[in-house]
Amino acid sequence: IRTSEQELGFATAQFGDDAAAAFAQTLAQARRDLDEAFSLQQRLDDDQPDTEADVRAIHTRILELCAHADSELDARADEFDRLRDLEQNAPEALVRIQQDRAAAGTGLDGAIASLERLRSAYAPEELATIGDNPDQARSRLTYADEQLDAAQRAIAAGDGASAAIALRAAEGAVAQAAQLEASVEKVAADLATAERDAAALVTELEQDVAAAVGVPDPDGSLGAVASTTRQQIDAARAQLTGEHRRPQAALSTLLGANSAIDAALAGARDAAQRAARARQTLDQQLQQARAQVSAAEDYIGTRRGAVGATA
């Protein structure tokens, strides 16, 4: 923390209060972490006996607090190292970031075209996480252009510190624009995978429903599950056809149906068959989960300012 206090002073003098504000906040949090760690250590050192479980918990918490403070301060120091590198190589960095910005501009055209194709094929709710990605990317690129212009002026004026701050802002904006554009293609691939998995699952469930006919069903429970499965297959088929397809919703429906009829047919299948089907179902469920988590991560990562602490 003492080293970071010195670093903060240098950074403030070099890049200004605004650029150093986040570092100052991190340093303040690190002090709070250390204060709590010292208080916990004092609790261990006082004359009140502590149980073995308490001692272990307190030591664990002290380690967590110190590790958190250390990692956060290191991250901020790395950011200023990056700024200094940009300051020292500002003209070269300007050219590189301008090239990245041009590539992101080309990527924006592709993302717009891809999103239009997706809108013609899928229901709006399937595209909820990327519906405004082109607009968001365009705003990031506009901001990047402003910062690149500011960097160019600062370089011409010999103000390396101001150039570095503008270049870092432009670099981050271009990277976010590129991520927003890539998210469109990622969702397109996830939807295509969901369609393939759903179609394959329809075929499997058709076979399960047919198999259920030849299985003894004294209480009629298997027949009821088979009937429900048939309804779910029909509903999924409707979601997988037409101009506003809903493959993720269809896949969710089919996975639920698959679990239900597998459980109902479990007594009629040997252990090897059940294990194979369980592995296959797991793969399909994991693929859908990964797609949903990825979409959420991309959405949050590119909209940090709009995501509050209670999200």
Side-chain angles (χ1 to χ4, degrees):
I1 285 178
R2 287 176 179 168
T3 300
S4 295
E5 286 174 341
Q6 295 175 346
E7 181 75 9
L8 176 60
F10 296 142
T12 302
Q14 189 171 9
F15 300 111
D17 291 332
D18 289 343
F23 199 162
Q25 293 171 1
T26 300
L27 184 59
Q29 180 58 54
R31 287 196 188 98
R32 289 192 290 270
D33 288 343
L34 197 59
D35 286 345
E36 183 181 345
F38 274 125
S39 296
L40 291 170
Q41 184 63 48
Q42 286 176 325
R43 176 178 164 185
L44 291 175
D45 294 340
D46 64 20
D47 58 358
Q48 300 297 317
D50 298 295
T51 67
E52 182 178 350
D54 287 340
V55 171
R56 184 180 299 275
I58 291 172
H59 280 152
T60 299
R61 179 59 179 161
I62 290 173
L63 289 170
E64 289 173 349
L65 288 164
C66 292
H68 178 260
D70 196 37
S71 63
E72 291 295 305
L73 291 172
D74 283 348
R76 291 300 181 190
D78 289 343
E79 289 179 19
F80 281 110
D81 287 342
R82 174 70 177 145
L83 274 175
R84 292 189 182 96
D85 182 61
L86 287 172
E87 180 184 21
Q88 293 168 8
N89 303 281
E92 296 84 353
L94 176 63
V95 172
R96 174 178 57 78
I97 297 170
Q98 285 174 331
Q99 292 171 343
D100 291 343
R101 191 279 177 229
T106 302
L108 178 57
D109 294 335
I112 292 171
S114 294
L115 186 57
E116 287 305 310
R117 287 195 298 271
L118 292 173
R119 282 174 171 157
S120 68
Y122 299 108
E125 56 266 34
E126 296 286 321
L127 309 174
T129 61
I130 59 168
D132 67 340
N133 275 30
D135 291 337
Q136 293 283 341
R138 189 179 292 107
S139 70
R140 303 300 196 280
L141 293 179
T142 298
Y143 177 72
D145 290 338
E146 294 169 355
Q147 294 302 311
L148 287 169
D149 289 343
Q152 203 158 18
R153 291 192 299 271
I155 291 171
D159 186 354
S162 295
I165 293 171
L167 287 170
R168 185 68 187 92
E171 189 176 46
V174 170
Q176 280 208 346
Q179 184 179 352
L180 286 160
E181 294 159 10
S183 294
V184 175
E185 299 302 329
K186 189 187 300 182
V187 168
D190 289 340
L191 288 170
T193 299
E195 283 194 285
R196 289 193 299 270
D197 288 348
L201 204 48
V202 164
T203 301
E204 291 178 24
L205 288 170
E206 293 276 15
Q207 295 170 352
D208 286 344
V209 172
V213 175
V215 175
D217 185 24
D219 61 356
S221 59
L222 179 56
V225 172
S227 176
T228 300
T229 302
R230 165 55 58 194
Q231 295 172 3
Q232 291 170 320
I233 291 173
D234 292 341
R237 284 189 190 281
Q239 292 173 323
L240 293 170
T241 56
E243 295 181 354
H244 297 290
R245 303 193 296 274
R246 299 177 61 210
Q248 295 281 16
L251 185 58
S252 293
T253 297
L254 293 169
L255 286 168
N258 192 47
S259 297
I261 199 165
D262 275 354
L265 286 169
R269 292 194 172 112
D270 61 32
Q273 285 178 312
R274 291 198 299 272
R277 289 184 64 84
R279 282 192 296 271
Q280 185 173 15
T281 299
L282 175 62
D283 288 341
Q284 292 165 335
Q285 290 172 330
L286 284 174
Q287 170 61 34
Q288 186 183 33
R290 289 190 189 102
Q292 292 169 336
V293 170
S294 176
E297 286 178 341
D298 286 347
Y299 188 90
I300 293 170
T302 55
R303 295 167 175 82
R304 288 190 295 272
V307 179
T310 58

